[in-house]
Amino acid sequence: MPTIIVVVSLMVGGGLLAREFYRVPDQQPDAILALPSSTARPLGQQPGPSTVELTPDAAAHPQHEVIRLLLQTYFDSINNRNYNQWQTTVTQARIQTKSRAAWLQDFESTKDGSILVYRIDAVSSQDLRVLLGFTSVQDPRSAPQELPGASCVQWKLTLPVTLESGHWKVDTVAGYTTPEAIKC
């Protein structure tokens, strides 16, 4: 009888251990998942929703929710013309390159939407690169230099994100990346 109890106990313990080992991890409920759309929105519906969404690839990164919230605040600050809020999302180096007056002028008519994070890559323990796309509408007089007169632009770029004072911040965009901009 004692042998049977030992054998059954080992089997139950082994079964519980195997169940935990092979268990499929729970889906992250806080990640807003989306797939790149192959259909364009009509011009009248641009720029699309202002919610930052993640592809499944981006959502697999351990820092995905922190980065999603950072970018949500970043884009909300632009859409709401809130320079003080924008300053909370960027590094000191980036703040020093953009005065309040210049920032307000740059974004005076900008509205961003259809924001999708494709990928988050670690460069180091303190630096990430975030590949994202978004749509921006603005007064044609405020169009980017590469697309004069454009009232709607679809952007794809890599944003550097750096750990500064214990918080992830959008850093200055260095010369290693060239944003892709196409007219809607």
Side-chain angles (χ1 to χ4, degrees), residues 61-63 67 119-131 158-159 161 168:
H61 192 278
Q63 296 292 334
I67 298 305
R119 190 169 177 81
I120 303 170
D121 289 320
V123 176
S124 72
S125 62
Q126 307 232 343
D127 292 295
L128 303 173
R129 297 293 178 262
V130 180
L131 176 63
T158 302
L159 279 180
V161 177
W168 290 104

Side-chain angles (χ1 to χ4, degrees), residues 159-173:
L159 279 180
V161 177
T162 300
L163 200 56
E164 183 177 87
S165 301
H167 300 282
W168 290 104
K169 306 280 184 151
V170 178
D171 204 357
T172 55
V173 178

Side-chain angles (χ1 to χ4, degrees), residues 20-34:
E20 286 303 308
F21 183 74
Y22 290 107
R23 186 172 72 105
V24 175
D26 296 335
Q27 178 68 18
Q28 293 287 344
D30 52 3
I32 299 171
L33 298 177

